[in-house]
Amino acid sequence: MARTREIVIKSTHRGLRYEDGRLTEVLEAGRYELPDTEHRRRNTPVVEVVLVDMRERELLLKGQEILTSDKVAVRVSIITQYRVVDPAAALEKVESYADRLYSDVQLAARRSLASMTLEGILTNRNRLSEDILGDVQEAASGYGIAILRADVKDLVFPGNLQEIMNRVLATERLSEAQLVEARTKAEREAIEARSKAETERIAAQARRETELVKAQGRAQTQRLQAESDAEALRLHAEAAGAYADHPVLLRVRELETLARLATNAEARLYIGFDKHAELQHAE
């Protein structure tokens, strides 16, 4: 009976099973029995298991000196987090996936920085990280590596350039803040002007409506007064006609008027006696 040996693969790893140097299987976590290579029979295959770590790992590129598009040398440090997702590709397609990943990140950083100016790097540092991440993700997927993140950790500039650029950035931020403040002030003034114009429009409309109501009221009053005057004239005309047709009614009206005057102690009544005497004398 052939002797066997036992191996255990942890959940953090995967095993590549080789028979006579050929990859035959990717082993998941668990316990496996393999032929004992020291006491194997003749013509039985040589079985070997290579473990691959599947945990997340970190790669640091420190102090890479690279020229920008405007020929300024900067030193950049980049942190890349990654993990193996295809253990067979990671071991079969490249000699060392860690070394290959180091080179890919380095080249991606050089390509990105070479296309950016110094000012662009300072004002948009995220673009550098995004460029590196996008470039390396595509390359690393070809040999079984997933890039989780790639961030610029440090940027170092030559001489006093750092201080100069910091002052430039501070000035730009101040200018942006002043621009925002000016825009805010202009928008506030525009809103206030629109509000004032709307208030004046509403007030003018209210005044016009008030004047219209007053004019309508005056016209109505004048119409009613005219109708009242016309009615009074009509009544007077009817009364005059009645007095002309019936003189006795006029006499009765005179007597009623005298009676009302008699009730007023201060009323004075003047009767033309001289004219009456002249009429008697003439007779």
Side-chain angles (χ1 to χ4, degrees):
M1 182 177 179
R3 297 183 181 182
T4 62
R5 58 189 175 91
E6 188 177 83
I7 66 167
V8 175
I9 300 176
K10 297 180 180 180
S11 59
T12 56
H13 290 67
R14 298 293 181 270
L16 300 184
R17 188 177 188 274
Y18 290 89
E19 290 186 6
D20 292 337
R22 292 191 300 273
L23 178 64
T24 60
E25 187 181 1
V26 177
L27 304 178
E28 299 292 329
R31 178 183 295 177
Y32 298 90
E33 288 188 358
L34 303 176
D36 189 350
T37 56
E38 294 182 359
H39 302 87
R40 67 184 181 85
R41 293 180 179 179
R42 186 183 299 271
N43 298 326
T44 58
V46 176
V47 178
E48 180 185 7
V49 175
V50 179
L51 297 179
V52 181
D53 194 336
M54 305 294 288
R55 291 173 292 183
E56 292 183 10
R57 278 178 279 183
E58 188 172 276
L59 176 68
L60 175 63
L61 275 74
K62 187 175 181 181
Q64 299 292 308
E65 186 169 311
I66 304 173
L67 287 177
T68 64
S69 64
D70 47 359
K71 307 305 179 185
V72 178
V74 297
R75 297 180 68 85
V76 60
S77 297
I78 304 166
I79 293 179
T80 305
Q81 294 177 349
Y82 70 97
R83 66 184 180 89
V84 176
V85 292
D86 185 348
L91 265 66
E92 292 284 312
K93 291 192 174 183
V94 291
E95 179 181 359
S96 169
Y97 60 83
D99 292 343
R100 176 65 177 272
L101 181 60
Y102 187 97
S103 299
D104 286 343
V105 173
Q106 186 181 53
L107 292 173
R110 290 185 182 278
R111 282 192 292 268
S112 181
L113 283 171
S115 67
M116 300 174 66
T117 64
L118 181 61
E119 182 179 358
I121 295 170
L122 291 173
T123 55
N124 191 9
R125 186 169 172 173
N126 288 336
R127 178 192 159 186
L128 178 57
S129 297
E130 292 169 358
D131 287 351
I132 295 172
L133 178 61
D135 198 345
V136 175
Q137 276 181 330
E138 183 177 356
S141 64
Y143 48 91
I145 303 298
I147 307 300
L148 306 179
R149 60 183 298 181
D151 290 329
V152 175
K153 181 181 179 182
D154 296 308
L155 278 172
V156 180
F157 305 102
N160 63 346
L161 184 60
Q162 177 79 53
E163 181 181 353
I164 295 172
M165 293 307 298
N166 286 339
R167 288 201 298 268
V168 171
L169 287 175
T171 303
E172 289 179 352
R173 293 192 185 99
L174 178 60
S175 300
E176 291 175 358
Q178 291 174 343
L179 179 60
V180 170
E181 182 180 358
R183 288 176 178 172
T184 303
K185 181 179 179 181
E187 290 174 357
R188 184 176 66 251
E189 291 176 349
I191 292 172
E192 291 176 353
R194 288 196 298 269
S195 177
K196 182 178 179 181
E198 181 65 13
T199 301
E200 292 177 352
R201 185 188 67 78
I202 293 173
Q205 183 177 355
R207 288 194 297 270
R208 288 194 299 271
E209 292 177 354
T210 301
E211 292 297 328
L212 179 60
V213 171
K214 288 181 179 179
Q216 291 174 346
R218 288 194 296 269
Q220 181 70 7
T221 301
Q222 292 173 356
R223 185 181 63 79
L224 293 176
Q225 183 65 41
E227 291 177 355
S228 177
D229 293 343
E231 181 63 19
L233 289 174
R234 186 184 64 79
L235 293 176
H236 285 312
E238 291 178 356
Y243 294 150
D245 294 338
H246 305 282
V248 175
L249 292 175
L250 181 59
R251 184 60 181 167
V252 171
R253 185 66 180 272
E254 290 177 352
L255 291 175
E256 290 175 351
T257 302
L258 290 174
R260 285 197 300 272
L261 290 174
T263 61
N264 188 353
E266 296 181 357
R268 296 291 184 270
L269 181 63
Y270 296 95
I271 302 174
F273 291 104
D274 292 341
K275 185 176 181 181
H276 184 69
E278 290 178 358
L279 291 175
Q280 289 180 349
H281 180 73
E283 292 177 357

